[in-house]
Amino acid sequence: MVQHGFMPIDVSFTHPFSDVDRIYAYSEEQFQNYRTYYGTADWRLISSDIELSDVCGSRNALFLASSAPHVDEEIAILKALKPILSVPLAIKLHPRHVYDERAKILLEYADIVIPGKSNPDCRVFLSHSSFYGLMYQRHGIRSIAFSEQDSIEGLRGLLKAEGMIRSDG
């Protein structure tokens, strides 16, 4: 079995899943999550490493990897946090998603717009719950899923701890 997406560990299924010979996962944590549902002791790390590059000064930026289904949440977050950010904001629209006119609103918050095939080096990676964040973690970059935060205020606290929010923010 090859991991595609995140496997939550708090879901109950009526019928158990079958055993598999091996699970290919992006991290040991993800393997353990899959192992909650599928029986196996064997796993391999998927090594789909990405090459990061400084895109127009992105190395010091907060990088938002956008997802069209969550664009309203992203806009609400940026409306609250952009005025108090102490670092540039880089935004990349998901290259396979179809966006409507809200993409233009989202990109108005960007200091740096990341082209579709680029993987920007950054200080902190932010997304709703993107699998892409695991690849950034492999590079030692903090990856934050805003879907796991209780509120925008909680997200602000995490970003402040990372030195991304102005001292008066």
Side-chain angles (χ1 to χ4, degrees):
M1 169 174 286
V2 178
Q3 178 183 1
H4 180 78
F6 293 104
M7 179 65 81
I9 58 172
D10 58 350
V11 177
S12 296
F13 294 99
T14 306
H15 302 288
F17 296 145
S18 63
D19 290 348
V20 295
D21 293 332
R22 177 178 297 140
I23 295 175
Y24 292 88
Y26 282 92
S27 70
E28 184 171 356
E29 176 186 10
Q30 290 299 308
F31 164 67
Q32 296 299 340
N33 289 357
Y34 271 76
R35 202 169 156 204
T36 302
Y37 303 105
Y38 295 93
T40 188
D42 190 21
W43 76 288
R44 299 288 187 275
L45 185 65
I46 298 172
S47 61
S48 65
D49 203 15
I50 56 174
E51 185 177 326
L52 303 181
S53 60
D54 188 21
V55 179
C56 302
S58 67
R59 190 162 281 132
N60 190 42
L62 171 62
F63 169 41
L64 171 65
S66 177
S67 177
H70 304 289
V71 71
D72 288 330
E73 293 168 85
E74 294 167 353
I75 290 169
I77 288 167
L78 297 182
K79 182 178 181 180
L81 297 181
K82 176 65 171 145
I84 58 173
L85 284 178
S86 63
V87 297
L89 174 64
I91 300 176
K92 178 179 178 178
L93 299 178
H94 193 294
R96 299 239 192 265
H97 290 184
V98 176
Y99 287 81
D100 59 21
E101 66 280 350
R102 292 172 296 170
K104 183 177 178 186
I105 296 167
L106 179 70
L107 292 176
E108 287 174 0
Y109 289 100
D111 298 301
I112 305 164
V113 176
I114 305 297
K117 293 191 183 253
S118 296
N119 300 306
D121 197 355
C122 61
R123 279 187 40 205
V124 174
F125 175 95
L126 177 65
S127 71
H128 176 271
S129 57
S130 178
F131 205 61
Y132 194 25
L134 291 175
M135 296 176 202
Y136 274 79
Q137 286 177 352
R138 284 192 179 172
H139 285 275
I141 293 172
R142 174 74 190 268
S143 179
I144 299 172
F146 64 78
S147 62
E148 296 176 4
Q149 305 310 308
D150 293 335
S151 64
I152 292 175
E153 188 60 27
L155 178 58
R156 185 193 70 75
L158 286 176
L159 294 174
K160 188 166 190 163
E162 294 293 329
M164 308 209 98
I165 300 293
R166 292 192 332 252
S167 60
D168 62 342

